[in-house]
Amino acid sequence: MDVTIVDRRNHHLFQPLLYQVATASLNPSEIAAPIRRILRRQRNVEVVLGNAVRVDRAARKVLLMDGELGYDYLVLATGVTHSYFGHEEWAEHAPGLKTLSDALEMRRKIFVAFEAAEREPPGEGRDAWMTFVIVGAGPTGVELAGALAEITRHTLRSDFRHIDPRSARVILVEGAARVLPAMKERLSGKAQHQLQRLGVQVRTNAQVTCIDEAGVSVGDEHIRARSVFWAAGVSASPLGRTLGVPLDRAGRVQVNRDLTLPGDDRVYVIGDLASLQQDGRPVPGGAPAAMQQGRHAAGNIERALLGEELKPFRYFDKGTLATIGRASGVADIRGLQLSGGLAWFCWLLVHIWFLIGFRNRFVVMLEWARAYLTYEKQARLIAEEVNVLLADPDDSVVGRPESAA
Amino acid sequence: MDVTIVDRRNHHLFQPLLYQVATASLNPSEIAAPIRRILRRQRNVEVVLGNAVRVDRAARKVLLMDGELGYDYLVLATGVTHSYFGHEEWAEHAPGLKTLSDALEMRRKIFVAFEAAEREPPGEGRDAWMTFVIVGAGPTGVELAGALAEITRHTLRSDFRHIDPRSARVILVEGAARVLPAMKERLSGKAQHQLQRLGVQVRTNAQVTCIDEAGVSVGDEHIRARSVFWAAGVSASPLGRTLGVPLDRAGRVQVNRDLTLPGDDRVYVIGDLASLQQDGRPVPGGAPAAMQQGRHAAGNIERALLGEELKPFRYFDKGTLATIGRASGVADIRGLQLSGGLAWFCWLLVHIWFLIGFRNRFVVMLEWARAYLTYEKQARLIAEEVNVLLADPDDSVVGRPESAA
């Protein structure tokens, strides 16, 4: 059996830790590994760096931007991307967090904001640089808010001369009635409490009505903020639309119980791109379900090649976890509800375990141990040069005024 | 005494190891540290992220792109940038290596080239992707060529299915008669021998006459190459031109023996931007001289404030070092000439020693130990997505052709 894997990036990314790259705790290479390296010993696997744009099921081909690939069996796992609920103009002002580039851009925005605040005179302009709004209080939004609050309270504490980073505001906006709406109500309450203890302002039942350069409108209120981050909606990869099969409301592909496409057992769809019901409820998105589906699809293809009957997929829920800053978090592990230090420790073990490759696990553990002891963020770098921070150069006489020696 | 430090980047960069970021051995944060963090305990130091565009000596002001700063004493250390000997159109095809962004772009080019070669059919097109030309055989060019040869011979050896990375050509082009022209002739010979043993093709007395998308012309020969890197000329930072004083041919500022500007003892120029003769020879560029000058300028400013006489600067030559791949290199330490493993070990000690901050030293040492044992490059990541690798999509049917199951 020959396997070809196509990706438009050269690395496999451990997405659950992406927010730690965005908040400068980890380096990109600590949560990502070249796909070729992961699969180098698998001599029957070929890795192609390419961007798949269309599936031609009649011809059994995947069309790339610059080529095409024939298939006997196709497994589609192109996932989801950000969705701004029809307000694509918000994207420019409120970047999301799906890729390494996203994370590095978010990091740049965060640290440039403090640099700009340091150079602004006190007042509304400075306050806008010191205000960070995160839209969406799912796991990514919660973890990002916690990490940002820590940066302002600890990491940057003694680095500036004109601003006090501790006075920065971190505002977490959620449309639903509580943070982490997918978790049990009690854990949502615990998470919100832990966020507030870190200094995060939590606004639930809050609908974002506008995002522009000046900030965010939440209902009737306008929050002046230079840094707005998007952790709210997702929509399915556009590749699903080229299959010519029914999609659900979010653009996901409705698959059979055996993960094949209705009417085409040569095509499997797995991960966040697949829509599947189990016991009357949707199988959740995220890495655990995707990993189980990957293994299951491989098994079914093997069965098909051997002429055996395909087996239906069954999702096994191992639990959900979220971390909130330093030594706190919430966890729901098969009904066992944890919060605080114990939940955080579970989170730590699970994430270290699933990181690919021994080297990354070891380095990330070292980094976290160091960060825990020192509050330092190693990766506070802006690679690009910064030319203009301030919109209005008249405000910008910095440093002490000229004086005689 | 209040000190303001202005930089257009937020980090101090340990430039001698930049080629290791370009060749994916190190992460950016391992050779760079936020300026604020380095100086956080110095309460009388203020850090400004800004781009200085002009010095107004009459008004004693430095003009930034978005503001201005008054000074009593000014120390200019803006260094040098790439120079393409009047062929600025080459810059686009032959990027240089001065900043973290440069290094990440070079890394992207290197690893994308192998991906593209893997997808090209055998022939001239593939060979052009597998050919790497480095222009300039000073320390940066030599170290880059050595590291590139190692990547092709070892790191990527088993990662591809259609190409053999070991067949990649690494060509080092130098206009002078020998590599490392600033070192003693015997050591140049040793260095060239070590490069050739690694598989690098060395061309000395070779003048580059053209660089474009298709490759490099060296004299009458045209080398088809998709990846050309510039390690040849430098010219002084344009800020020197705004001082209104005589510059040397490379645009450097001719300073007094005490490092002040002729006719203005409020302005010091140090590092690669300064031009200074000592015993009839120019003080060399690079970190060792710059560090000595920084310390000296600070001392002279203190003397001026105390009403004492300024002291002339004297450069103390501690030696020169270059590394060439794994466990080899050349060193000239006050007349003592070393090559091979011992020179490499000296290089290792010196570079670890001068890295800023305990954490970086420790992590870099770990990385190097691991890399030495495994030949692995941890940071082989291209953050951006890659859409089109191949110029001509007709060549690009990849993977096995469609066949019946």
Side-chain angles (χ1 to χ4, degrees):
Chain A
M1 189 155 72
D2 295 316
V3 179
T4 303
I5 182 163
V6 185
D7 203 295
R8 58 186 171 179
R9 294 195 175 78
N10 82 331
H11 52 272
H12 174 68
L13 179 65
F14 190 68
Q15 226 158 17
L17 291 181
L18 201 52
Y19 81 96
Q20 296 220 357
V21 173
T23 53
S25 286
L26 294 177
N27 270 306
S29 76
E30 284 151 11
I31 62 158
I35 299 170
R36 290 192 186 285
R37 195 190 70 179
I38 301 171
L39 298 168
R40 78 203 301 185
R41 309 251 177 257
Q42 231 95 32
R43 300 305 301 183
N44 64 335
V45 173
E46 179 170 331
V47 179
V48 171
L49 188 65
N51 197 338
V53 290
R54 198 159 69 79
V55 177
D56 182 345
R57 293 202 289 129
R60 281 200 202 141
K61 274 179 183 172
V62 176
L63 304 178
L64 311 182
M65 249 185 206
D66 57 351
E68 58 180 51
L69 280 164
Y71 66 79
D72 299 320
Y73 290 92
L74 174 67
V75 181
L76 269 191
T78 49
V80 289
T81 179
H82 313 298
S83 157
Y84 291 85
F85 307 130
H87 292 280
E88 296 314 313
E89 73 276 13
W90 295 355
E92 173 191 352
H93 307 292
L97 190 59
K98 283 276 169 213
T99 67
L100 280 183
S101 317
D102 291 345
L104 295 174
E105 169 60 17
M106 200 176 274
R107 181 198 288 182
R108 195 188 63 76
K109 280 200 83 160
I110 293 168
F111 291 102
V112 162
F114 286 102
E115 296 291 339
E118 171 85 346
R119 289 190 48 192
E120 284 271 1
E124 276 201 342
R126 181 190 282 181
D127 294 346
W129 282 117
M130 300 274 280
T131 303
F132 298 84
V133 178
I134 295 147
V135 183
T140 299
V142 165
E143 291 176 338
L144 199 54
L148 254 173
E150 271 196 2
I151 287 175
T152 62
R153 296 325 181 245
H154 299 286
T155 309
L156 297 179
R157 200 171 37 181
S158 42
D159 281 15
F160 293 88
R161 301 294 177 256
H162 300 288
I163 58 166
D164 181 354
R166 283 171 294 186
S167 68
R169 293 194 302 162
V170 179
I171 303 173
L172 182 61
V173 177
E174 168 61 46
R178 54 197 176 90
V179 303
L180 298 174
M183 293 189 90
K184 299 229 168 68
E185 208 164 331
R186 195 178 138 256
L187 290 177
S188 288
K190 295 262 184 196
Q192 178 160 347
H193 179 72
Q194 292 175 35
L195 283 165
Q196 286 164 339
R197 218 174 39 195
L198 275 172
V200 176
Q201 299 178 19
V202 180
R203 314 229 174 143
T204 49
N205 287 317
Q207 301 298 333
V208 170
T209 52
C210 177
I211 303 176
D212 60 21
E213 212 182 36
V216 184
S217 296
V218 179
D220 298 335
E221 184 195 13
H222 187 259
I223 304 171
R224 284 197 66 178
R226 292 284 203 147
S227 307
V228 182
F229 301 122
W230 188 258
V234 291
S235 70
S237 149
L239 206 55
R241 289 200 293 268
T242 72
L243 291 170
V245 293
L247 306 176
D248 77 0
R249 213 162 39 100
R252 280 175 303 216
V253 180
Q254 287 170 317
V255 293
N256 297 326
R257 293 291 306 281
D258 57 14
L259 303 177
T260 61
L261 217 57
D264 188 346
D265 60 6
R266 297 300 189 111
V267 178
Y268 291 75
V269 180
I270 60 173
D272 285 0
L273 181 61
S275 168
L276 182 63
Q277 297 280 319
Q278 176 171 310
D279 308 332
R281 284 187 315 181
V283 171
M291 282 157 56
Q292 295 175 27
Q293 289 173 348
R295 229 170 283 122
H296 193 85
N300 270 353
I301 290 173
E302 202 176 4
R303 281 175 207 109
L305 291 173
L306 297 171
E308 297 173 8
E309 206 175 324
L310 304 192
K311 286 196 179 163
F313 170 75
R314 205 164 164 80
Y315 171 62
F316 176 77
D317 183 3
K318 291 178 182 162
T320 46
L321 290 158
T323 177
I324 303 155
R326 184 183 164 78
S328 72
V330 289
D332 181 348
I333 300 163
R334 304 191 65 66
L336 177 68
Q337 296 177 27
L338 303 172
S339 70
L342 199 57
W344 177 78
F345 192 68
C346 288
W347 177 91
L348 203 75
L349 289 184
V350 169
H351 284 77
I352 285 284
W353 181 257
F354 283 111
L355 261 184
I356 285 204
F358 166 76
R359 185 254 160 198
N360 285 354
R361 277 181 209 158
F362 179 70
V363 172
V364 170
M365 239 181 333
L366 269 186
E367 280 308 325
W368 283 349
R370 202 183 49 82
Y372 190 86
L373 295 172
T374 64
Y375 281 111
E376 188 51 67
K377 305 278 182 186
Q378 54 152 331
R380 272 163 53 195
L381 303 173
I382 306 168
E384 298 79 24
E385 66 182 60
V386 175
N387 286 318
V388 177
L389 292 172
L390 304 176
D392 179 2
D394 293 345
D395 296 344
S396 61
V397 178
V398 283
R400 81 219 143 85
E402 189 184 353
S403 62
Chain B
M1 189 153 74
D2 296 315
V3 179
T4 303
I5 182 163
V6 185
D7 203 295
R8 59 187 170 178
R9 294 194 175 77
N10 83 330
H11 51 274
H12 176 68
L13 178 65
F14 190 67
Q15 229 159 14
L17 291 181
L18 201 52
Y19 81 97
Q20 296 221 355
V21 173
T23 53
S25 286
L26 293 176
N27 271 305
S29 76
E30 285 150 12
I31 63 157
I35 299 170
R36 291 192 185 286
R37 196 191 70 179
I38 301 170
L39 298 168
R40 80 204 298 184
R41 310 251 177 257
Q42 230 94 31
R43 301 305 302 183
N44 63 334
V45 174
E46 179 170 331
V47 179
V48 171
L49 188 65
N51 196 339
V53 288
R54 198 159 69 78
V55 177
D56 182 345
R57 293 201 288 129
R60 280 197 202 145
K61 276 179 181 171
V62 176
L63 303 177
L64 311 181
M65 247 185 207
D66 57 351
E68 59 180 51
L69 281 163
Y71 66 81
D72 298 321
Y73 289 91
L74 174 66
V75 181
L76 269 191
T78 49
V80 289
T81 179
H82 314 298
S83 157
Y84 290 86
F85 307 132
H87 292 279
E88 296 314 311
E89 72 277 12
W90 295 355
E92 174 190 351
H93 307 292
L97 190 59
K98 282 278 169 214
T99 67
L100 280 183
S101 317
D102 291 345
L104 295 174
E105 170 59 16
M106 200 174 275
R107 180 197 289 181
R108 195 188 63 74
K109 279 198 85 158
I110 293 167
F111 291 102
V112 162
F114 287 102
E115 296 292 339
E118 171 85 346
R119 289 191 48 193
E120 284 270 3
E124 276 204 342
R126 183 190 279 181
D127 294 346
W129 282 117
M130 299 273 280
T131 303
F132 299 84
V133 178
I134 295 147
V135 183
T140 299
V142 165
E143 291 175 339
L144 200 53
L148 254 173
E150 271 197 2
I151 287 175
T152 62
R153 295 326 179 244
H154 299 287
T155 309
L156 297 178
R157 200 172 37 183
S158 41
D159 281 17
F160 293 89
R161 301 293 176 258
H162 301 288
I163 59 166
D164 180 356
R166 284 170 294 185
S167 68
R169 293 194 302 162
V170 179
I171 303 172
L172 181 61
V173 178
E174 167 62 47
R178 52 195 176 92
V179 305
L180 299 173
M183 292 187 92
K184 299 225 170 69
E185 210 165 329
R186 197 179 136 254
L187 290 176
S188 289
K190 295 261 185 196
Q192 180 161 345
H193 179 72
Q194 292 174 35
L195 283 166
Q196 285 163 340
R197 219 175 38 199
L198 274 171
V200 176
Q201 299 178 17
V202 179
R203 313 226 176 146
T204 49
N205 286 317
Q207 301 296 334
V208 170
T209 52
C210 177
I211 303 176
D212 59 23
E213 212 181 37
V216 184
S217 297
V218 179
D220 298 334
E221 184 196 11
H222 187 258
I223 305 171
R224 285 197 66 177
R226 292 284 203 148
S227 308
V228 182
F229 302 123
W230 189 258
V234 292
S235 70
S237 149
L239 206 54
R241 289 201 291 269
T242 71
L243 291 170
V245 293
L247 306 176
D248 76 0
R249 213 162 38 99
R252 280 177 303 217
V253 180
Q254 286 169 316
V255 294
N256 297 324
R257 294 290 308 278
D258 57 13
L259 303 177
T260 60
L261 218 56
D264 187 346
D265 60 6
R266 297 301 188 109
V267 177
Y268 291 76
V269 180
I270 61 173
D272 285 358
L273 181 61
S275 170
L276 183 62
Q277 298 280 318
Q278 176 171 310
D279 307 333
R281 285 188 315 180
V283 171
M291 282 157 57
Q292 294 175 27
Q293 289 173 348
R295 230 171 282 122
H296 194 86
N300 269 354
I301 291 173
E302 202 176 3
R303 282 177 205 107
L305 291 173
L306 297 170
E308 297 173 8
E309 207 173 323
L310 304 190
K311 286 195 178 163
F313 171 74
R314 203 162 167 82
Y315 170 61
F316 177 78
D317 182 3
K318 291 180 183 162
T320 46
L321 290 159
T323 177
I324 303 155
R326 183 182 164 80
S328 72
V330 288
D332 181 347
I333 301 164
R334 304 191 67 64
L336 178 68
Q337 295 177 26
L338 304 172
S339 70
L342 198 58
W344 176 79
F345 193 68
C346 288
W347 177 91
L348 203 77
L349 289 183
V350 169
H351 284 78
I352 285 283
W353 180 257
F354 283 110
L355 262 184
I356 284 205
F358 164 75
R359 186 253 159 200
N360 285 355
R361 278 181 211 160
F362 179 71
V363 172
V364 169
M365 242 182 329
L366 271 185
E367 280 309 325
W368 282 350
R370 203 182 49 82
Y372 190 86
L373 296 172
T374 64
Y375 281 110
E376 188 51 69
K377 305 278 182 186
Q378 54 151 331
R380 272 163 55 195
L381 303 174
I382 306 168
E384 298 79 23
E385 66 182 61
V386 175
N387 287 319
V388 177
L389 291 172
L390 305 176
D392 179 2
D394 292 344
D395 296 344
S396 61
V397 178
V398 284
R400 79 218 142 86
E402 190 182 352
S403 62

